[in-house]
């Protein structure tokens, strides 16, 4: 395989409804799309870096810079066996996983398209239908939250995750449990608490949550291990896990019992699969996280979710939950049973709508 050229595009899309987490409120999304031309096909990837360095250190700007000045020069003109090798070719660049992951994923898509098979098959996926959950942002009132949960349950989603932060945690969870005693419910704090808050977090044990996601510091495995010893509720790590080594340390320390895998956070399919395999061997279930992606990133999350140990519903949802109109054809839809049927077409299995993408493009750079 050899990459002839890559095109970076920044697209902007307004969210259907604002999304609030403990680290901020988002109304519009800026996304960096990578199109890679290799051997007569075009592979597509999406960087999940945010507008600011609040979920993770990377931003749209840093991902653009690293892709242009370091990642592209490391691949340009080089012959390699398959997309599997890209991660290793980029090993001298430390961090910047979201930038790496965008191009790496685009090359997996390209390879599957060259071979005329679905990407999920190239990856070794086993699932034809993936179970879906939703992530619901922090709401003004608990009544708003209840209404949102009712809507998503009616749409079929198999589990509900709500975002929490200090002051908006116990009460909403308690009210949701009164109203919906049977649903699969979990919370995500996006690092809003400190270890000293453990007696407060301990109160969540009363509500038999599936898990509490990333309660403590974004890079603090040690405190999560302390906290997990005090809680009955399983901790799931998101922000903390950027590498296979972090995953290994987290598991060995007892810092979590579940791991959320995001392609961008770990730098692409090769590291994502390694973390998946490690977790499988340690009986740690994983699920696929979401980053408010456009259809391109969404399609990749679907492919990743077909791997065997993605046994819990992920944050992989219909295009319509976030976008009035997506950038792929067809859009991602969810069955009344709360599943997504995995596409059978080549590569990611959804076709990028070039005309629409061009219209949404705020800036573009072609590198060859
Ligand atoms: O922590 O999983 C998270 C969105 C932006 C940044 C971080 C997170 C999220 C979500 C949204 O929870 C998941 C989705 O894309 O539906
Ligand atoms: Mg999270």
């Amino acid at each position: 395989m050899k990459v002839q050229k890559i095109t970076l595009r920044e697209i902007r899309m307004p969210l259907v409804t604002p999304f609030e987490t403990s680290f901020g409120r988002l109304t519009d999304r800026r996304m960096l799309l990578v199109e890679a031309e290799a051997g007569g096909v075009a592979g597509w990837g999406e960087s999940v870096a945010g507008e600011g360095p609040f979920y993770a250190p990377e931003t749209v700007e840093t991902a653009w810079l690293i892709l242009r000045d370091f990642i592209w020069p490391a691949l340009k003109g080089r012959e390699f066996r398959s997309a599997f090798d890209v991660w290793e070719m980029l090993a001298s660049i430390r961090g910047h996983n979201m930038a790496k992951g965008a191009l790496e994923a685009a090359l997996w898509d390209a390879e599957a398209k060259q071979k005329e098979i679905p990407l999920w098959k190239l990856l070794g996926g086993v699932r034809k239908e993936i179970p879906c959950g939703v992530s619901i942002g922090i709401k003004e009132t608990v009544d708003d939250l209840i209404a949102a949960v009712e809507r998503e349950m009616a749409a079929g989603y198999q589990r509900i995750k709500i975002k929490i932060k200090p002051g908006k945690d116990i009460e909403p969870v308690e009210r949701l449990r009164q109203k919906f005693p049977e649903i699969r419910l979990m919370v995500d704090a996006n690092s809003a608490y400190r270890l000293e808050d453990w007696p407060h977090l301990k109160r969540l044990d009363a509500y038999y949550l599936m898990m509490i996601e990333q309660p403590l510091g974004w890079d603090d495995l040690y405190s999560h291990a302390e906290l997990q010893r005090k809680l009955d509720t399983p901790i799931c790590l998101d922000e903390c896990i950027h590498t296979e080594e972090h995953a290994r340390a987290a598991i060995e320390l007892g810092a979590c019992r579940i791991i959320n895998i995001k392609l961008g956070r770990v730098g692409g399919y090769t590291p994502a699969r390694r973390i998946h395999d490690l977790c499988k061997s340690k009986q740690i279930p994983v699920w696929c996280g979401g980053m408010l992606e456009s259809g391109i990133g969404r399609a990749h999350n679907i492919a990743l979710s077909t791997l065997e140990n993605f046994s819990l519903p992920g944050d992989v949802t219909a295009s319509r939950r976030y976008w009035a109109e997506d950038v792929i054809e067809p859009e991602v839809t969810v069955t009344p049973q709360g599943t997504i049927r995995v596409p059978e077409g080549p590569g990611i299995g959804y076709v990028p709508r070039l005309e629409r993408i061009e219209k949404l493009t705020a800036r573009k750079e072609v590198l060859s």
Side-chain angles (χ1 to χ4, degrees):
M1 230 178 150
K2 195 164 163 178
V3 192
Q4 278 79 44
K5 74 172 194 199
I6 65 171
T7 304
L8 309 182
R9 288 184 183 84
E10 181 190 327
I11 61 166
R12 299 186 180 185
M13 290 204 287
L15 290 164
V16 168
T17 44
F19 192 81
E20 186 175 334
T21 63
S22 63
F23 60 82
R25 184 181 163 89
L26 203 68
T27 55
D28 297 275
R29 194 83 173 82
R30 295 171 60 193
M31 285 158 294
L32 197 176
L33 299 183
V34 180
E35 181 185 5
E37 232 180 82
V41 302
W44 286 80
E46 173 172 346
S47 148
V48 298
E51 293 69 20
F54 308 121
Y55 162 83
E58 292 180 82
T59 69
V60 178
E61 300 294 330
T62 68
W64 192 290
L65 174 101
I66 295 291
L67 273 159
R68 185 190 59 207
D69 293 353
F70 298 98
I71 294 176
W72 173 241
L75 291 187
K76 186 179 167 175
R78 284 178 72 186
E79 188 68 50
F80 49 96
R81 200 171 42 84
S82 86
F84 176 82
D85 300 327
V86 171
W87 172 250
E88 196 52 45
M89 292 164 75
L90 301 178
S92 62
I93 301 166
R94 294 184 182 173
H96 298 286
N97 285 346
M98 293 173 176
K100 289 178 185 171
L103 181 54
E104 201 257 20
L107 294 175
W108 277 94
D109 179 31
E111 181 174 341
K113 283 172 175 159
Q114 286 177 4
K115 295 181 167 155
E116 296 178 348
I117 57 170
L119 173 55
W120 65 271
K121 278 194 183 152
L122 181 63
L123 293 166
V126 295
R127 234 175 275 282
K128 294 240 156 134
E129 208 166 328
I130 62 161
C132 307
V134 283
S135 174
I136 299 178
I138 294 169
K139 302 287 181 195
E140 197 76 46
T141 68
V142 179
D143 288 335
D144 291 348
L145 179 63
I146 288 174
V149 171
E150 255 157 4
R151 237 184 348 264
E152 304 296 5
M153 292 304 295
Y157 287 103
Q158 298 185 11
R159 72 100 170 96
I160 300 290
K161 153 170 145 182
I162 65 162
K163 295 289 193 179
I164 59 167
K165 65 177 182 183
K168 288 211 168 181
D169 42 24
I170 311 291
E171 196 212 340
V173 168
E174 175 162 37
R175 295 263 316 272
L176 282 183
R177 265 301 177 231
Q178 281 167 353
K179 183 93 185 161
F180 310 102
E182 314 246 288
I183 64 173
R184 294 215 271 174
L185 183 64
M186 60 172 288
V187 295
D188 184 358
N190 290 110
S191 299
Y193 299 89
R194 304 164 57 88
L195 183 57
E196 303 88 272
D197 299 322
W198 76 264
H200 183 73
L201 294 170
K202 180 77 188 157
R203 293 173 61 194
L204 291 172
D205 275 349
Y207 305 102
Y208 48 100
L209 301 174
M210 289 174 82
M211 67 195 91
I212 170 169
E213 186 178 342
Q214 195 69 37
L216 308 179
W218 74 278
D219 212 11
D220 185 359
L221 288 181
Y222 184 81
S223 297
H224 279 102
E226 292 266 301
L227 180 64
Q228 182 67 92
R229 280 194 280 279
K230 297 177 190 295
L231 299 185
D232 297 325
T233 307
I235 290 177
C236 168
L237 289 177
D238 173 355
E239 281 90 330
C240 270
I241 309 296
H242 339 123
T243 61
E244 185 187 2
E245 293 76 17
H246 280 80
R248 188 180 303 282
I251 295 167
E252 297 303 327
L253 282 168
C256 64
R257 295 190 198 133
I258 300 171
I259 288 180
N260 160 339
I261 299 182
K262 291 177 180 167
L263 267 181
R265 205 191 60 232
V266 303
Y269 284 105
T270 295
R273 281 201 311 193
R274 291 183 64 104
I275 294 170
H276 163 274
D277 294 351
L278 168 73
C279 289
K280 191 170 146 208
S281 74
K282 302 281 181 182
Q283 277 115 42
I284 299 285
V286 304
W287 53 276
C288 182
M291 292 290 288
L292 314 175
E293 289 93 344
S294 82
I296 305 286
R298 227 159 264 280
H300 279 290
N301 290 344
I302 293 167
L304 180 65
S305 302
T306 64
L307 298 182
E308 192 185 344
N309 194 36
F310 281 81
S311 52
L312 296 169
D315 284 343
V316 186
T317 60
S319 300
R320 284 293 157 100
R321 283 194 71 244
Y322 290 115
W323 317 117
E325 197 181 343
D326 206 339
V327 300
I328 51 165
E329 179 62 41
E331 299 201 340
V332 176
T333 56
V334 166
T335 67
Q337 292 74 42
T339 63
I340 292 173
R341 293 213 180 87
V342 179
E344 288 291 338
I348 54 174
Y350 297 85
V351 181
R353 293 172 56 188
L354 254 183
E355 225 169 86
R356 173 156 174 76
I357 290 171
E358 286 292 339
K359 217 183 280 173
L360 294 169
T361 297
R363 102 179 118 139
K364 176 172 166 177
E365 197 168 339
V366 180
L367 306 167
S368 60

